[in-house]
Amino acid sequence: MKKLWSGAALATCALTLAAGTARAEEAWKTVAEKPYVVKVRPRPGTEAKDVWAEGELAASAADVQAVLRDVAAYRHWMPYVKESRILKDLPDEGQLTYTRLDLPVVSARDYICNVVLESKLAEDGSGVFAQRWRAEPDAIPQRRRTVRIRLNEGSWRVEPRGEGKSHAVYRFTVDPAGSIPGFLARMGQKDAVEDTFRAVEKRARARAESRARAE
């Protein structure tokens, strides 16, 4: 950003930023309200869209946290995930992760992400689980016959909502790269988000049921 030399310039800049913020807020478009609220907006300078989804899960925040942190198990339950693993543990419980997607119609995709743990639940289940991630596409060599996703960033925020319930906010921006049919891209804004929420909820509930049987 250029240096500002006068009060008038500073005021002009502030007004411009405020107007820009208002436009960004107005740019969100709600594409679904039930069972989860899903909003999208264009990501300037890219073909990608920012996605904001939130809703209630019939699973405890502690179980949801455990499920989302277990990246190596994603291949067993997360939609379209064919391969998932932790490449390296990072400081402060961060992770460098690898994921490969087997998608309908289009070529396989993969991505490497630096996952940062911002906060986690207390032992008694109170508090907030929050993590964010950003792609590190050049962390390992690209695989043959697989398209490397270079823009992939987002976050999860999960809070308790009483016994066996939680509220989740899932935000992400992904440029799928390569050639993607328009209908598939549009479907991904809503249907893929719902599939992900349902899969997380189902896995978290299964974890709780397994624990209850063992007690």
Side-chain angles (χ1 to χ4, degrees), residues 162-180:
E163 185 70 25
K165 296 181 181 179
S166 56
H167 181 84
V169 178
Y170 175 38
R171 298 186 65 168
F172 64 92
T173 306
V174 177
D175 184 342
S179 177
I180 295 287

Side-chain angles (χ1 to χ4, degrees), residues 93-181:
E93 299 187 62
Q95 299 170 330
L96 186 67
T97 67
Y98 174 82
T99 307
R100 184 174 183 272
L101 307 176
D102 222 352
L103 300 168
V105 184
V106 300
S107 302
R109 263 68 175 165
D110 70 356
Y111 52 87
I112 302 95
C113 284
N114 184 322
V115 183
V116 176
L117 179 65
E118 296 186 325
S119 65
K120 61 182 181 180
L121 300 168
E123 290 294 327
D124 64 0
S126 63
V128 175
F129 165 64
Q131 70 176 18
R132 56 181 168 83
W133 62 89
R134 183 180 294 272
E136 290 196 7
D138 300 316
I140 62 174
Q142 189 163 335
R143 295 171 64 167
R144 295 178 59 188
R145 296 186 292 276
T146 302
V147 178
R148 176 65 48 85
I149 294 176
R150 306 191 70 83
L151 172 58
N152 180 1
E153 59 188 55
S155 63
W156 279 100
R157 182 180 176 86
V158 183
E159 301 180 57
R161 284 290 188 269
E163 185 70 25
K165 296 181 181 179
S166 56
H167 181 84
V169 178
Y170 175 38
R171 298 186 65 168
F172 64 92
T173 306
V174 177
D175 184 342
S179 177
I180 295 287

